[in-house]
Amino acid sequence: MNESLHTIIKKLRTRKHNTRFRDAEKLLLNLNFAERNSKHGTSHRVFSHPELNCNITLVTHGRNDVLPSYQVQDIIKALQELEELQQ
């Protein structure tokens, strides 16, 4: 990914109420987050990063679902922490 984390965070903040699951999933996977699915077929998807001590849980009912703003805020917070670690 060519964009800096700062630029990505800025873009997420501007469309916090209009971020689709598929876009968030692609972003996190490109930033080396690992995704694990629940073994019980639930709609919860958990993403973790080896450098962070937190997980991001996203709930989706389809790949084009718009995420609730609190889930986007969780992504922003994790990316900010990752950005701080890289500095």
Side-chain angles (χ1 to χ4, degrees):
M1 178 165 284
N2 295 334
E3 294 180 271
S4 72
L5 279 174
H6 183 73
T7 304
I8 293 168
I9 292 167
K10 190 174 178 180
K11 283 183 180 180
L12 278 175
R13 279 193 177 125
T14 61
R15 52 180 218 166
K16 188 185 308 184
H17 300 287
N18 196 24
T19 300
R20 296 193 179 278
F21 171 79
R22 181 176 56 193
D23 296 333
E25 177 186 43
K26 183 177 176 182
L27 168 68
L28 293 172
L29 293 176
N30 281 329
L31 292 173
N32 297 321
F33 280 78
E35 177 183 3
R36 70 174 193 256
N37 295 329
S38 170
K39 296 177 183 177
H40 302 290
T42 166
S43 58
H44 289 69
R45 305 293 264 296
V46 180
F47 295 85
S48 61
H49 193 280
E51 295 181 39
L52 300 176
N53 291 329
C54 64
N55 291 322
I56 299 171
T57 302
L58 303 179
V59 179
T60 179
H61 298 288
R63 291 187 114 14
N64 287 323
D65 274 353
V66 174
L67 297 174
S69 61
Y70 74 90
Q71 290 180 1
V72 178
Q73 190 60 42
D74 289 344
I75 296 169
I76 291 169
K77 182 179 175 185
L79 295 182
Q80 287 173 327
E81 290 177 23
L82 190 59
E83 183 179 40
E84 289 172 9
L85 287 173
Q86 293 179 350
Q87 292 178 356

